[in-house]
Amino acid sequence: MTGRFAALAVSAGVFVLSPVTHGASPPGDPPVGDKRVTAVVRNDLGQLKWVVTEATDYTPLEAEGRRVYLRGGCNYCHSQYVRPTSTDARPWGPVTADVRRWGPLAEPGEFAYDKPPLFGPGGVGPDLSREGLKYGDEWHLAHFWNPPGITRGSIMGGFSGLFETLAELVPIVGDAAFTLPDGSTGMTLARTAATERLFDFDSPDQVKLTPNKDGLLFVPMDARGKHPIIWTPNQEFAGDAVKLVAETKDVQALTAYIQKLGTDRGQWRDLALSEEVEGSKLILERSDDWIGRGKLVYERRCIACHGETGNGNGWASTFMTKQRPRNFTTGVFKFRLTKGTLPSDADLLRTITRGVRGTAMPAWYELPLDERLAVMQYVKYGLTVDKSDETQQPSYYFVDEPPGPPMSIGTPPRPSAEMITHGKAIWQQAKCWECHGQQGRGDGQKAAGLKDDWGFPIRPANLTRGQFKSGPTVSDLYRTITTGLSGTPMASFKDAFPDADRWALSYYILSLSAFTDPLSGKPLRLAPADRAALNDPNLQTLGPEHAYRPRAPRDDGHPETVAGR
């Protein structure tokens, strides 16, 4: 009995001391040990190179997120060190040496600012060492709210307690301060003591918020203090009251911390990009069996965002305030190599496999190929259907107006400094800066008023972080410039500029993210001599073990490494 009580006492002591022993040091504390790591950087010519650099400390927001992570006990299920090299099974999936999923091997410098490192247990939940920028912020918000709703079969409990949830439903009322395009009165939330804590109903700054079909309405941090507009241009919600769920500092901080994990290794994901669909002439014949199987995959993997009917109004859509899920029922797709708005099978497979960077659309390369092909068939023949006129037979876009042959891209020209300079001139001539800003940060003079074809606000991409939605290669950017992004203000420049100009512009856009931190977009501190060496097309860095080691002092006098943010 004495032994049992002693064991209980020890266990209780460990539990009590755990928050202390796993505490987060404040940002600015000196690092523990060597903070050197190898990272992938993009040079001025768009090439990816391994270089010796330094891990960066947490920002105050990220450090606070680490404390929230510890307080929630996340480290009891999630490790931050596992580098699997076996085929052992885990509850959350197979353990493999797949670099696309796990990233480069961990290095000691990555833990320089972790006091102590949060190694955690192995085999309970997915390892998070490389979680940063794998998903967009909005995916994490929906996932924190309802993990099994986003990842079917997940054993992770919800963290809805981190959000501010109003106890009472909030009525939707008319809004004399906002007029719809057809001249009718817009809608807002009822003015109550609870809603006035979140919003300023007298503010001239308006924010459009869209509830999901069940009446759940998410309020992001940047909506606080503004005048709320209930925006349902496609009848996303038909009720008269909503349940308000607001982002809090804790949620914002936790998201920032998760996005920091693994980003000290730079743009490694771009090197690990799957090329299995590049240049593919894939044409898959329509199959009822494949469509039926694809429906099951869709219901398990896609329905939370895209909705039961494919209208982009799944339960999680309200969390996606910056980039709405695709509405398949209109037959308009952004990413394609065809002349119309419908993509080829190869285009669809590429998007499903790679995902859409910086958004809630994840990369699905971990799904077996047959499941990706099956869900592709279901999207084409089960969801991309016009049923708006109940007096007419449904119109199946991919049957009635099949996509034409893909346009040819060809081999990219060899980049040069002269080509980048020419691309910068095309940037000015094409007025890309009006939306994307002179520095490419997505802050141009027209940025604030842009909206997509469905009436939702849409922000131009911040091109300095290298998180390109259509893909990270120069060919991906060339494709986007050539075809445009259907359903968005991004037009096609195929007829406006010749082929050589579009290639030059593509390389210039790549150069906007040269030698920058992928998380913050801030420039890395690098000596001019080392920058020139990394810009040498003949310099080969085949992996971390062959990383370029800076030889000149940085602009802050520190030798032998590239400094981060």
Side-chain angles (χ1 to χ4, degrees):
M1 184 65 69
T2 303
R4 179 179 297 180
F5 278 119
L8 287 172
V10 171
S11 299
V14 170
F15 182 80
V16 170
L17 291 174
S18 178
V20 178
T21 60
H22 287 77
S25 299
D29 270 13
V32 176
D34 192 350
K35 55 181 180 175
R36 284 180 297 180
V37 295
T38 57
V40 177
V41 299
R42 179 178 283 112
N43 68 10
D44 291 317
L45 302 182
Q47 300 169 315
L48 297 169
K49 303 287 180 73
W50 282 98
V51 63
V52 176
T53 180
E54 289 180 351
T56 58
D57 196 0
Y58 297 108
T59 66
L61 184 65
E62 292 162 356
E64 179 60 29
R66 190 173 191 262
R67 285 188 281 271
V68 176
Y69 183 90
L70 288 163
R71 191 178 71 214
C74 304
N75 56 307
Y76 293 119
C77 292
H78 293 288
S79 61
Q80 290 186 28
Y81 80 106
V82 178
R83 297 273 66 82
T85 56
S86 71
T87 57
D88 295 341
R90 292 289 186 268
W92 35 265
V95 177
T96 71
D98 184 358
V99 176
R100 288 177 301 175
R101 180 172 187 179
W102 300 111
L105 294 177
E107 295 177 344
E110 295 183 64
F111 307 102
Y113 293 98
D114 287 344
K115 304 175 185 178
L118 300 181
F119 291 142
V124 180
D127 182 75
L128 300 183
S129 296
R130 301 288 177 262
E131 194 74 3
L133 302 181
K134 181 178 181 180
Y135 305 103
D137 289 353
E138 295 168 319
W139 185 94
H140 287 292
L141 293 170
H143 184 248
F144 293 148
W145 176 259
N146 180 10
I150 292 293
T151 306
R152 291 289 182 90
S154 172
I155 62 173
M156 178 174 165
F159 283 80
S160 58
L162 292 177
F163 296 79
E164 181 179 352
T165 306
L166 300 195
E168 303 291 335
L169 294 180
V170 179
I172 297 175
V173 298
D175 186 4
F178 182 71
T179 303
L180 296 173
D182 62 4
S184 60
T185 301
M187 307 300 289
T188 187
L189 296 169
R191 195 164 182 166
T192 67
T195 56
E196 285 189 327
R197 290 201 310 269
L198 297 173
F199 304 105
D200 180 356
F201 288 86
D202 298 320
S203 172
D205 294 330
Q206 298 175 338
V207 59
K208 293 179 177 178
L209 302 172
T210 303
N212 65 16
K213 64 182 181 63
D214 300 318
L216 182 68
L217 180 62
F218 175 68
V219 181
M221 288 293 291
D222 58 11
R224 290 176 180 252
K226 297 181 180 179
H227 182 97
I229 300 296
I230 300 303
W231 187 246
T232 56
N234 306 295
Q235 290 74 54
E236 284 79 8
F237 177 62
D240 56 9
V242 293
K243 177 181 180 179
L244 251 61
V245 174
E247 184 180 8
T248 62
K249 268 292 186 181
D250 280 354
V251 177
Q252 184 186 42
L254 181 59
T255 302
Y257 171 66
I258 296 296
Q259 294 290 36
K260 171 70 165 68
L261 300 178
T263 57
D264 283 327
R265 306 303 298 277
Q267 304 276 14
W268 65 268
R269 246 185 209 97
D270 292 350
L271 276 182
L273 180 70
S274 171
E275 300 291 348
E276 64 186 82
V277 294
E278 284 302 299
S280 172
K281 300 296 188 294
L282 173 70
I283 299 178
L284 194 64
E285 295 297 328
R286 187 184 189 279
S287 165
D288 289 338
D289 289 341
W290 279 81
I291 294 171
R293 184 178 181 187
K295 184 175 187 292
L296 297 176
V297 176
Y298 180 88
E299 290 173 346
R300 182 174 177 83
R301 306 287 187 178
C302 317
I303 199 170
C305 298
H306 293 285
E308 183 178 354
T309 65
N311 64 353
N313 195 35
W315 74 261
S317 62
T318 186
F319 291 89
M320 294 158 201
T321 56
K322 294 182 175 62
Q323 186 75 53
R324 292 281 297 185
R326 176 57 41 193
N327 180 351
F328 299 123
T329 66
T330 61
V332 178
F333 292 77
K334 285 183 181 179
F335 309 112
R336 69 197 192 290
L337 195 52
T338 55
K339 294 182 179 179
T341 62
L342 293 180
S344 67
D345 286 352
D347 291 329
L348 284 174
L349 182 58
R350 180 178 58 246
T351 300
I352 293 170
T353 301
R354 290 182 174 183
V356 182
R357 284 282 186 85
T359 76
M361 173 63 182
W364 290 106
Y365 56 78
E366 296 173 30
L367 278 185
L369 179 59
D370 57 349
E371 290 191 17
R372 282 176 273 153
L373 295 176
V375 78
M376 189 174 75
Q377 285 254 310
Y378 181 62
V379 168
K380 288 176 61 176
Y381 302 115
L383 299 177
T384 310
V385 183
D386 183 4
K387 299 179 181 179
S388 58
D389 189 344
E390 296 181 357
T391 66
Q392 301 291 328
Q393 289 292 324
S395 174
Y396 292 82
Y397 291 100
F398 279 92
V399 175
D400 299 338
E401 304 172 21
M407 292 180 282
S408 175
I409 287 185
T411 303
R414 186 178 177 86
S416 65
E418 293 73 22
M419 183 178 291
I420 305 298
T421 301
H422 179 57
K424 183 176 183 179
I426 300 300
W427 171 275
Q428 295 294 328
Q429 188 177 344
K431 297 185 177 180
C432 304
W433 48 269
E434 288 188 337
C435 296
H436 293 284
Q438 288 290 2
Q439 306 302 319
R441 298 189 182 278
D443 55 358
Q445 62 190 42
K446 292 184 177 180
L450 296 178
K451 59 183 180 179
D452 64 19
D453 285 2
W454 297 271
F456 291 102
I458 185 170
R459 298 287 300 185
N462 179 349
L463 304 173
T464 65
R465 295 175 57 203
Q467 301 297 301
F468 304 112
K469 292 184 175 68
S470 62
T473 70
V474 70
S475 294
D476 293 321
L477 294 176
Y478 174 88
R479 182 181 66 248
T480 297
I481 292 169
T482 299
T483 64
L485 296 177
S486 297
T488 80
M490 175 64 193
S492 165
F493 287 89
K494 183 177 185 299
D495 297 327
F497 294 95
D499 190 69
D501 287 352
R502 281 178 277 133
W503 278 118
L505 179 58
S506 302
Y507 274 114
Y508 174 70
I509 292 173
L510 271 185
S511 75
L512 293 174
S513 61
F515 302 111
T516 60
D517 178 86
L519 185 61
S520 66
K522 294 180 180 179
L524 303 175
R525 298 196 299 273
L526 184 68
D530 289 316
R531 184 166 184 147
L534 287 165
N535 279 332
D536 182 356
N538 297 317
L539 175 66
Q540 298 294 317
T541 59
L542 302 180
E545 64 278 10
H546 301 290
Y548 173 79
R549 182 179 295 277
R551 292 169 174 78
R554 293 189 324 231
D555 56 11
D556 60 355
H558 195 290
E560 293 190 341
T561 57
V562 177
R565 57 193 176 123

